[in-house]
Amino acid sequence: MLIGIDGRELEGKPTGVGNYLSNILQEIDLPPDFKIQLFFKNEIPADSIPARVEAVLLPSKKRNLAWLHTILGPEIRRRNIQLFFTPTANCVPFFSGIQTAAVHDLSYYNHPEWFSPRERWVRKISTRYAVHKARRIYVLSGHVREEIMQRFGISSKKLLLIPIGVRQKKTDPETRRILRESYGYGSARMVLYVGSIFQRRHLPVLIQALTKLDSDVKLVVIGENRTFPHQDLMEIARKFSVESRVILLEYASTKIVEDYYRMADVFVYLSTYEGFGIPPLEAMSYGIPVIVSRTPAMDEIYQYSALFVPSITAGSVAECLRACLMDDQLREQLIESGLAQVERSRWSDSAKSIAQDWEQLIAAGS
């Protein structure tokens, strides 16, 4: 039984979708007669391929969509792949086997102004094709499932809700102290944001909120700036005279990101739209209080485990930050509820649901 997977999200500098795929691959457990082949376009990453998975490089200078159609498609047909999985909203044309795909959100439909004309065109056409072509679509939240059903007229039977998982981390005050000394933060209080930077995540509001907090509060932002139109965050920090308190790390290694999670006092994730919102769950796994904004998906997922800002304004955000930094009882409550959320969110459960679905789909198609 041959299962093929599009592995491009693991290439280069993986972000949320790459981490999603990596964790599924690490946890997935299939019968011995099932073999997984993972297909790449530019490189085979050195450390992200489990031993039981065969990595296949199909090098090409073509754009991703053209590679999917003209390079990957013929190759998986030649190899007699029975089921193919893409961790994004894509499907391979002219492939008669079973196709499955993950749709993380529909932001490019709901807010096209956040994307360049070409990017939103590619995303829209790929998603529309995928939701109709795929035998199964995996969604991360009930909100995204409802969005897909309403927009595309898709039956709920085609959509399988499989929430994101997370791994609990070991943290302790001594490690935190040593890390803070080694990075030069000492006793400064640290607000952390991790994730790709889009307009919808309101980093300028978070930067402005710093002006309303004590001068020892610093903001660390880790993530690729993918805003459209482009936002110069350091220029915004200079505008509010807090540039010395804002640390921007465009991209950081896994080790450095983990260090910052362990050093942080509070994690903030403001967003107008999300399909799930993975970074808050990751922050909870390190025992950090989490502040989020209200979206249908985040209300669904974090309703009992995070502090919600009343509005995405500098005043409201600063007030919530001040409460998390100063109110020990609130901090402990948020840490405890966050860890309970982590306990309910296991990658092994997510991978098990996908593996069982693959087995059922192949059995039904035999």
Side-chain angles (χ1 to χ4, degrees):
M1 299 292 183
L2 280 178
I3 292 176
I5 298 177
D6 183 350
R8 286 173 295 164
E9 292 293 335
L10 299 175
E11 295 180 355
K13 298 174 178 178
T15 54
V17 179
N19 292 329
Y20 165 83
L21 177 57
S22 176
N23 281 288
I24 294 296
L25 287 172
Q26 289 177 45
E27 295 290 343
I28 203 150
D29 186 16
L30 291 163
D33 59 331
F34 280 69
K35 306 298 180 186
I36 295 178
Q37 295 181 340
L38 193 58
F39 294 89
F40 296 93
K41 175 188 169 190
N42 300 306
E43 61 172 317
I44 296 177
D47 303 321
S48 57
I49 314 299
R52 64 186 181 281
V53 174
E54 178 188 352
V56 180
L57 181 63
L58 304 175
S60 173
K61 293 183 179 180
K62 293 184 177 183
R63 287 182 179 268
N64 283 331
L65 200 58
W67 176 86
L68 188 80
H69 285 225
T70 64
I71 304 295
L72 178 64
E75 183 65 19
I76 64 173
R77 291 194 294 271
R78 185 185 70 80
R79 290 171 176 262
N80 294 319
I81 298 290
Q82 291 170 280
L83 181 146
F84 195 79
F85 170 61
T86 55
T88 56
N90 281 294
C91 272
V92 180
F94 309 114
F95 173 63
S96 59
I98 300 163
Q99 296 210 55
T100 62
V103 176
H104 297 257
D105 65 66
L106 295 181
S107 54
Y108 36 92
Y109 274 100
N110 296 317
H111 294 279
E113 70 276 9
W114 293 338
F115 300 85
S116 69
R118 185 182 187 282
E119 183 178 8
R120 67 174 176 256
W121 177 82
V122 169
R123 286 175 178 257
K124 283 183 175 183
I125 197 170
S126 297
T127 302
R128 181 171 293 277
Y129 182 71
V131 297
H132 289 288
K133 173 74 171 175
R135 189 81 60 85
R136 185 81 76 229
I137 296 291
Y138 305 122
V139 293
L140 311 186
S141 66
H143 172 65
V144 174
R145 179 176 57 191
E146 292 300 317
E147 278 193 297
I148 293 173
M149 290 169 60
Q150 292 178 16
R151 182 171 291 278
F152 300 107
I154 301 300
S155 167
S156 60
K157 294 179 181 179
K158 179 180 273 195
L159 303 168
L160 184 58
L161 173 58
I162 301 180
I164 288 292
V166 71
R167 302 176 194 280
Q168 184 137 9
K169 313 303 188 303
K170 293 181 179 179
T171 59
D172 63 82
E174 182 61 15
T175 299
R176 169 187 163 88
R177 185 192 67 77
I178 292 171
L179 286 171
R180 280 175 159 265
E181 291 297 331
S182 66
Y183 279 86
Y185 288 103
S187 60
R189 290 176 289 175
M190 183 187 297
V191 177
L192 179 64
Y193 167 89
V194 176
S196 296
I197 300 166
F198 300 105
Q199 259 82 357
R200 69 178 187 259
R201 292 181 180 160
H202 302 283
L203 270 299
V205 174
L206 184 52
I207 290 170
Q208 186 180 2
L210 273 188
T211 65
K212 303 178 182 300
L213 299 171
D214 293 342
S215 59
D216 70 321
V217 178
K218 296 183 180 295
L219 169 64
V220 177
V221 175
I222 303 177
E224 181 183 359
N225 191 333
R226 298 170 62 186
T227 53
F228 179 86
H230 181 74
Q231 294 178 337
D232 186 334
L233 297 183
M234 191 50 73
E235 182 58 36
I236 292 169
R238 281 192 284 269
K239 172 186 172 183
F240 291 113
S241 302
V242 291
E243 65 271 23
S244 64
R245 298 164 59 192
V246 176
I247 297 90
L248 302 178
L249 301 177
E250 184 81 2
Y251 190 87
S253 68
T254 300
K255 168 66 167 59
I256 290 175
V257 174
E258 290 174 349
D259 286 350
Y260 272 97
Y261 272 124
R262 289 189 168 95
M263 289 188 287
D265 291 287
V266 60
F267 184 88
V268 183
Y269 201 77
L270 309 174
S271 187
T272 307
Y273 173 92
E274 293 294 326
F276 185 100
I278 300 173
L281 185 58
E282 190 71 18
M284 290 173 183
S285 73
Y286 287 91
I288 308 171
V290 170
I291 297 172
V292 298
S293 55
R294 293 202 174 277
T295 71
M298 299 226 278
D299 282 356
E300 172 190 340
I301 295 156
Y302 299 116
Q303 57 180 317
Y304 302 117
S305 54
L307 179 64
F308 285 83
V309 295
S311 61
I312 305 177
T313 61
S316 289
V317 174
E319 186 177 336
C320 288
L321 281 168
R322 191 177 295 110
C324 281
L325 292 169
M326 303 295 292
D327 186 336
D328 290 340
Q329 184 176 350
L330 175 63
R331 285 182 59 81
E332 288 305 314
Q333 177 187 331
L334 288 171
I335 290 170
E336 187 175 319
S337 60
L339 291 174
Q341 176 76 44
V342 169
E343 188 63 28
R344 296 190 296 269
S345 309
R346 298 177 181 272
W347 277 117
S348 55
D349 294 336
S350 305
K352 181 179 180 180
S353 296
I354 290 176
Q356 288 177 341
D357 190 55
W358 288 351
E359 291 182 57
Q360 291 169 5
L361 288 171
I362 290 175
S366 299

